Amino acid sequence: MKTNQPIKLSGMPQAGVIRFVSEQKLALAEGKKTSVVTITRTGTFTDPRYGEFEISKDMLLAMVDNFKKGAYGQDIFIDVAHKPDDGAAAKLLSLSVEGNRLRAEV
């Protein structure tokens, strides 16, 4: 199985830019160009930067709707290991909600 090289993002993000990240290592089977991965799921979470927060199914559905409308106005990438300086592992091609999970074709 071959692994893809990270996509290096140039420069620092612009003010207000949000980078979505995933701890999953993205590897494609020989000959495949895309994969479907889980980005996040519903639940209550704690992060040292943001404290406790909740992600609801309505929020996931709104993310899919905004993605389909192009609300962000540019391509969205998944950072390598939550480290923007290491580049991106994949570009989001589509989003969907499956059960309690936000899924992305990358």
Side-chain angles (χ1 to χ4, degrees), residues 4-48:
N4 290 342
Q5 294 296 315
I7 302 166
K8 186 69 176 171
L9 300 175
S10 62
M12 294 301 295
Q14 300 169 357
V17 169
I18 299 170
R19 295 181 188 246
F20 289 88
V21 294
S22 173
E23 290 185 18
Q24 297 177 346
K25 296 204 185 281
L26 302 175
L28 299 176
E30 187 70 35
K32 282 201 78 174
K33 295 186 184 272
T34 63
S35 183
V36 177
V37 298
T38 297
I39 301 297
T40 193
R41 60 184 168 78
T42 60
T44 301
F45 306 93
T46 303
D47 182 279

Side-chain angles (χ1 to χ4, degrees), residues 49-101:
R49 297 165 292 181
Y50 311 117
E52 186 173 292
F53 62 96
E54 183 176 342
I55 297 175
S56 69
K57 188 163 187 174
D58 285 341
M59 291 171 77
L60 299 182
L61 292 169
M63 290 177 202
V64 171
D65 187 51
N66 286 333
F67 184 85
K68 287 179 179 178
K69 290 177 179 175
Y72 192 57
Q74 66 185 49
D75 291 335
I76 300 172
F77 293 86
I78 298 174
D79 291 345
V80 173
H82 296 275
K83 299 177 183 173
D85 290 340
D86 288 351
K91 175 182 168 182
L92 295 184
L93 302 174
S94 67
L95 288 178
S96 63
V97 174
E98 294 179 17
N100 68 341
R101 300 177 298 160

